[in-house]
Amino acid sequence: MTTTLSGTENRADRRGSEYTFDATEEGASDEQIDESAAREATICVVGLGYVGLPLAVGFAQSNYRVVGYDVDETTVEQLQAGVDTTGDLSDDAIQDGDISYTTDAAQIGDADYVIIAVPTPIDDDDQPDLRYVESAATTVGSKMKPGTTVVLESTVYPGTTREVLAPALEEASDLTAGEGFFVGYSPERATPGDEAHGLADVVKVVGAQNEKVLDDVAALYESVVDAGVHRAPSIEVAEACKVVENTQRDLNIAFVNELSMALERMDVDADAVLEAAGTKWNFHDYRPGLVGGHCIPVDPYFLAHRSAREGFEPELVRTSRKVNESMPDHVAELTIKALNQCHKTLCESRVLVLGLSYKPGVGDIRSSKVANVVERLEEYDIDVTGFDPFADPEAVRDAFGIDVQEAVSFDGFDAVVVTTGHDEFERLDLENVASALESDPALVDTTGTFDETVAQDAGFVYRRI
C-alpha cells in the first residue's frame, strides 16, 4: 500500500484552536510570532539512543516541553536518575530544561510533534530491517492526537516514509495521512564523540509531504539548529541524501583500502603514496582502515536494496562493501605475517589488541570490526587480549569473548595490534613498550599512529595497512 500524502493545511490552519499566536508586542514580525508559537509546542522523541537523546536535550534546552520515550526500562531509569547514557552530553545536560523520560507510551499523546529516532539495522542477509520503525509507528499511531506531525529521523531507503511509516500510523490511529496527521523526514547526522559537529552545528535536511508542512517542520528545526535547514524538494530526496552521504564515504575508503593492499604487494609504502598524491589541490584525503559503526557499513545496503528493487544492481556500491568487509581478514593476515617474521609459533603467541570501539574517542563497541579481527586471529589459536580506554571492559568480554585489561600492560605479549586510533595511544613510548614485550616483538599499526622508523628503532617488526 502506498499512501498519498496530500494535506494542505499549515500548522496554524489545522491547529488554530490549540495555539494562541499572539505577539506580545505591537508590530511583532511574522518570524517573532512563529517563534512564540513554536515554543508552545510539546515534542516527543521516540528512541533515546545516540541520535534521539541529543535531539530531546537540544529541544528542551531551547525551551520546548519535551517527552523522551523509550521502551528500554534500564535506559529510562538511568536518564531519570540523571545519568547520560550516551557519554556525548553530560549528566547536567540531560536534565536541562522541561524534559521528562518515560516508558509510558500514553505520554506520546501530549505531543504536537513526534520525532522517531529508532535503530534501522540490516539483517543477516544485508537487507534493511525496519521492524523498529514499524513498531514505533504502531505505538505512536495508537497514542497520538489528531493534528500531530510525525518526523522520521532513522536511516531508511527512499520511499520508506510513504510506504512503511505512514500506513503503519494510519492503521494504528484510524486517521488519514495528510488530513488527520502529517509526516516529514529529516535524516540524522549525529557524529558520536565529535563535539564540533553536534545538533546545532550541522545543517539539517528536511523533507515533508507538502510545502506548508515542510515550512512548519523546517521552522521547528531552525529553532534549534544554528547551522540552518536545507529544504529538500521531496521526502524521498531527504531519505536518499542520508544513504548517499555515507555510501560516498564507503566508496572512497574502499578505494584506499584496496589501494593499500595492492601497493603492499608491490612493496610500495601506501602512506607515502597518499601523502605525495595529497599535494595536488583536488586530491581527496582518505586513509585505509577498518570500517565499522552504525552508518558507513550499513547505509550502502539501504541504497542497494531500493535500487535493486527497481531493477538496477549498483555493482560499485556492493563491491566497495565487499572490499571494506574484507579488511578484518587483511589485518589478521598482517598480524600473522608479522608473527612469522618474528619467528613466533602462532598457537603459542599472545597478542594485545589496542582499541576495541568502532572509532577513536568513543567507547561504543557495537558494529566494531575489531571483533572480526579477534575472531580471525583466534582461528589460528592465537591468544588475544584487549584494551580500550573508553569501552566498558565487561561489555567487551561479553561481546568479544576475550580477556580485557582494566589498565594497559604489555608484559608477556608477542605482538601489539593497534586497531582504533585513540589519542591516548599516541603517547605510548615505543621503547618502553618493546622492553615489556617478549623478545622480537611485532607491532601491527592499522591506524598509522606510529612512525615506522621509530617503531623499527625500538625493536619492532612493523606492519601497517
Side-chain angles (χ1 to χ4, degrees):
M1 172 182 173
T2 300
T3 301
T4 302
L5 308 177
S6 57
T8 57
E9 303 91 346
N10 64 20
R11 179 158 56 87
D13 292 334
R14 69 182 189 254
R15 298 178 183 163
S17 62
E18 300 175 36
Y19 286 84
T20 302
F21 289 70
D22 296 350
T24 57
E25 298 179 16
E26 185 176 355
S29 68
D30 290 341
E31 289 79 6
Q32 289 171 321
I33 293 173
D34 287 344
E35 179 77 2
S36 174
R39 290 302 193 275
E40 296 180 16
T42 296
I43 299 167
C44 177
V45 177
V46 176
L48 299 175
Y50 75 97
V51 174
L53 185 59
L55 264 176
V57 170
F59 279 111
Q61 290 177 334
S62 296
N63 299 320
Y64 290 92
R65 177 174 179 262
V66 177
V67 175
Y69 171 79
D70 201 292
V71 296
D72 189 316
E73 292 184 0
T74 300
T75 295
V76 171
E77 287 173 358
Q78 288 180 304
L79 291 170
Q80 289 173 339
V83 177
D84 172 20
T85 52
T86 66
D88 283 332
L89 302 169
S90 69
D91 292 348
D92 290 337
I94 63 169
Q95 300 293 336
D96 187 7
D98 186 1
I99 185 168
S100 60
Y101 303 103
T102 184
T103 58
D104 179 9
Q107 293 191 37
I108 295 172
D110 296 337
D112 305 293
Y113 298 90
V114 177
I115 300 175
I116 297 176
V118 295
T120 46
I122 52 175
D123 63 21
D124 292 339
D125 296 318
D126 296 330
Q127 298 300 308
D129 181 355
L130 299 178
R131 57 183 164 170
Y132 298 110
V133 170
E134 293 171 333
S135 176
T138 298
T139 300
V140 170
S142 68
K143 304 300 181 183
M144 69 181 182
K145 62 188 178 185
T148 300
T149 296
V150 181
V151 180
L152 181 61
E153 286 222 2
S154 305
T155 299
V156 294
Y157 55 78
T160 300
T161 302
R162 295 183 194 271
E163 299 168 7
V164 178
L165 178 72
L169 290 167
E170 286 183 327
E171 183 175 354
S173 66
D174 202 25
L175 298 171
T176 301
E179 297 176 5
F181 68 91
F182 307 87
V183 297
Y185 182 81
S186 182
E188 59 89 0
R189 283 175 160 177
T191 308
D194 186 349
E195 295 181 0
H197 295 95
L199 173 65
D201 309 306
V202 180
V203 173
K204 206 80 171 73
V205 174
V206 173
Q209 63 190 81
N210 62 45
E211 287 297 324
K212 290 187 176 180
V213 178
L214 178 62
D215 288 342
D216 182 35
V217 174
L220 179 72
Y221 280 110
E222 283 170 343
S223 68
V224 295
V225 179
D226 295 338
V229 169
H230 175 84
R231 288 166 167 79
S234 70
I235 290 176
E236 288 74 19
V237 168
E239 291 169 325
C241 88
K242 172 61 193 300
V243 292
V244 167
E245 290 169 13
N246 286 314
T247 299
Q248 181 192 59
R249 294 176 66 194
D250 198 44
L251 290 168
N252 281 286
I253 298 169
F255 168 67
V256 294
N257 275 338
E258 189 168 68
L259 179 70
S260 70
M261 289 186 278
L263 290 172
E264 180 194 349
R265 285 157 176 77
M266 304 176 202
D267 197 25
V268 175
D269 186 336
D271 190 61
V273 169
L274 292 172
E275 183 179 352
T279 61
K280 190 177 182 184
W281 77 92
N282 59 354
F283 185 80
H284 293 185
D285 186 19
Y286 285 85
R287 298 290 161 157
L290 299 171
V291 183
H294 311 287
C295 294
I296 299 178
V298 175
D299 293 4
Y301 292 117
F302 280 80
L303 181 63
H305 167 84
R306 187 68 174 87
S307 178
R309 226 174 71 180
E310 301 302 321
F312 180 77
E313 191 62 46
E315 295 182 5
L316 182 59
V317 172
R318 293 200 182 276
T319 299
S320 296
R321 278 280 74 233
K322 289 178 182 177
V323 170
N324 287 337
E325 286 296 303
S326 74
M327 289 306 290
D329 286 339
H330 180 58
V331 172
E333 180 183 355
L334 288 177
T335 305
I336 290 165
K337 287 180 176 179
L339 288 169
N340 283 333
Q341 189 175 343
C342 296
H343 307 291
K344 306 287 185 178
T345 302
L346 296 182
C347 64
E348 297 176 358
S349 297
R350 298 183 64 218
V351 170
L352 177 62
V353 175
L354 294 182
L356 305 166
S357 61
Y358 79 91
K359 65 178 289 188
V362 303
D364 194 344
I365 61 171
R366 296 171 299 169
S367 302
S368 172
K369 294 302 177 183
V370 181
N372 301 88
V373 175
V374 170
E375 182 181 351
R376 301 299 184 273
L377 293 175
E378 289 184 329
E379 289 176 0
Y380 292 87
D381 294 326
I382 295 172
D383 184 2
V384 181
T385 298
F387 171 75
D388 192 294
F390 296 95
D392 176 62
E394 194 59 42
V396 176
R397 292 185 189 101
D398 291 342
F400 288 27
I402 60 174
D403 290 333
V404 181
Q405 295 180 347
E406 303 280 344
V408 67
S409 172
F410 300 96
D411 294 342
F413 290 96
D414 298 286
V416 173
V417 182
V418 183
T419 44
T420 310
H422 295 308
D423 290 343
E424 287 75 4
F425 299 151
E426 295 180 6
R427 297 192 287 269
L428 291 173
D429 185 312
L430 291 187
E431 289 190 0
N432 290 338
V433 172
S435 65
L437 296 166
E438 294 294 308
S439 60
D440 301 318
L443 174 59
V444 180
D445 185 8
T446 71
T447 62
T449 298
F450 301 105
D451 179 85
E452 180 175 5
T453 301
V454 173
Q456 290 175 337
D457 288 346
F460 284 102
V461 166
Y462 180 84
R463 297 264 182 164
R464 72 177 174 214
I465 296 177

